[in-house]
Amino acid sequence: MTDSESNRETKKPRPAWLDWLQIFAVAAVLAFVLNTFLIANARVPTGSMITTIMPGDRVIGSRLSYHFEDPARGDIIIFHAPDEPETLYVKRIIGLPGDKVTIRDGHVYLNDSETPLEESYIKEPMKPAALQEFQVPEGAYFCMGDNRNGSVDARYWKNHYVYRDKIVAKVLFRYWPGIKALK
């Protein structure tokens, strides 16, 4: 018998718990990397995005999207709330940097247009309220919920704008209670 054969015979088998520990450690590291650098996972607790996203829905966003493209009007984003930076919100981008957003007679107008913004995604017509005008600063976005009559959004925040460095991710799809692409 050679020395290598002797070593194989006397080597004790690796305990099963050590294999399981290794599997859990690798899974934890992968989950950390995914959640920190690639995706954002969010649960939407309110009805501010009804009917696009319902209360309790869970969504996945891409943290990488805006490294390759600029945020666009209509994108649904996950961001740090301007008035509560520790809280994440999910809303739709309505106004881009440099835009003038006017809310008049229950409609949104951009850059002094006479035609309201086409918004097929809103739950129901917005209830008319007092005239509101917002001039979106460079590097910032004006965001609103799709459920305009039930959303506390940029119209009501003390700090009306979401700056690009506060955007966490572009929402790609809902995964709970079923998979649905979001636009």
Side-chain angles (χ1 to χ4, degrees):
M1 183 183 297
T2 67
D3 284 338
S4 63
E5 288 174 340
S6 174
N7 285 343
R8 268 189 253 138
E9 289 176 11
T10 59
K11 209 180 223 185
K12 290 183 181 180
R14 184 174 162 149
W17 67 267
L18 198 54
D19 289 335
W20 282 106
L21 181 63
Q22 183 178 7
I23 290 168
F24 285 124
V26 168
V29 168
L30 283 174
F32 173 78
V33 169
L34 281 172
N35 278 316
T36 304
F37 301 109
L38 300 176
I39 64 169
N41 177 8
R43 181 182 162 278
V44 179
T46 69
S48 70
M49 289 295 292
I50 291 174
T51 61
T52 307
I53 302 171
M54 303 302 286
D57 282 2
R58 294 181 182 273
V59 296
I60 292 287
S62 168
R63 291 180 186 272
L64 297 177
S65 288
Y66 298 132
H67 289 282
F68 303 107
E69 64 186 23
D70 289 330
R73 188 179 338 278
D75 285 356
I76 300 171
I77 61 172
I78 301 169
F79 58 95
H80 293 278
D83 295 340
E84 304 171 56
E86 68 285 349
T87 303
L88 294 178
Y89 279 7
V90 175
K91 305 280 185 207
R92 187 179 299 273
I93 295 175
I94 302 300
L96 301 175
D99 277 350
K100 178 181 178 185
V101 179
T102 303
I103 301 170
R104 179 178 71 235
D105 301 325
H107 296 284
V108 176
Y109 297 85
L110 296 174
N111 303 317
D112 296 322
S113 172
E114 294 299 318
T115 307
L117 182 63
E118 177 60 40
E119 299 185 286
S120 59
Y121 44 77
I122 63 172
K123 178 183 185 285
E124 60 191 11
M126 194 173 7
K127 293 178 184 168
L131 174 71
Q132 292 179 292
E133 291 184 338
F134 304 91
Q135 185 63 50
V136 184
E138 286 304 315
Y141 299 85
F142 186 84
C143 298
M144 297 173 74
D146 290 357
N147 179 8
R148 299 292 164 75
N149 297 319
S151 177
V152 176
D153 51 38
R155 297 171 289 169
Y156 307 110
W157 302 332
K158 179 181 175 188
N159 300 297
H160 299 290
Y161 309 104
V162 177
Y163 284 85
R164 184 161 180 159
D165 66 341
K166 300 302 180 193
I167 297 175
V168 173
K170 175 182 180 179
V171 174
L172 302 175
F173 62 91
R174 177 192 74 194
Y175 71 91
W176 180 262
I179 295 176
K180 173 185 171 186
L182 299 175
K183 293 182 181 184

